[in-house]
Amino acid sequence: MLNDEQAVEIFKALSNQIRVNILQMLKEPDNNFSPQAHVIKEKGFDGGVCVSDIRIKAGLSQSTTSQYLSILLQSGLVEMKRIGQWTYYRRNQKTIEQFEKYIGLKI
């Protein structure tokens, strides 16, 4: 279960429409991004999307994309994994579900 401090970090991360859009795109990576050549199921990171693909889809610069993904990562809304020279992100469903429960209890 999330504590109030963790929830505040998530609220901050969700205070930007583009970060919300990134989370929405990551919800259905197969529909929103090209196949991820370097994410192999055996690597245990199904649904991961390369930073460069997120950048292109979101229409952002590399530095802004990295900053937004860092905020989402710090809040716990996404997970990150390096595979070779590539960095992949995917939604952290466990945290998202905990946040949904938190909101239900608090509002």
Side-chain angles (χ1 to χ4, degrees):
M1 189 65 155
L2 293 179
N3 62 40
D4 291 342
E5 186 177 306
Q6 292 167 312
V8 168
E9 290 304 312
I10 292 173
F11 280 120
K12 288 178 186 177
L14 296 175
S15 70
N16 177 286
Q17 184 62 53
I18 296 174
R19 289 193 294 263
V20 171
N21 292 348
I22 291 170
L23 275 177
Q24 289 171 334
M25 288 186 281
L26 291 173
K27 187 173 185 176
E28 297 181 343
D30 293 338
N31 294 335
N32 292 306
F33 299 97
S34 60
Q36 301 297 299
H38 299 95
V39 176
I40 302 168
K41 291 185 181 189
E42 293 82 44
K43 300 270 187 193
F45 209 67
D46 292 343
V49 178
C50 186
V51 172
S52 61
D53 288 344
I54 295 169
R55 180 190 64 76
I56 291 166
K57 184 80 172 186
L60 301 170
S61 69
Q62 181 63 43
S63 62
T64 301
T65 303
S66 294
Q67 179 187 22
Y68 284 0
L69 289 170
S70 176
I71 291 167
L72 291 169
L73 182 64
Q74 289 173 352
S75 73
L77 292 170
V78 297
E79 301 172 298
M80 183 263 303
K81 183 169 187 170
R82 288 200 46 87
I83 300 174
Q85 65 187 30
W86 297 275
T87 304
Y88 292 84
Y89 287 85
R90 70 178 179 190
R91 288 166 52 108
N92 183 340
Q93 281 306 123
K94 180 179 178 183
T95 298
I96 291 169
E97 290 168 8
Q98 289 176 346
F99 183 63
E100 290 170 344
K101 288 178 185 174
Y102 176 89
I103 290 174
L105 294 173
K106 298 291 182 178
I107 297 177

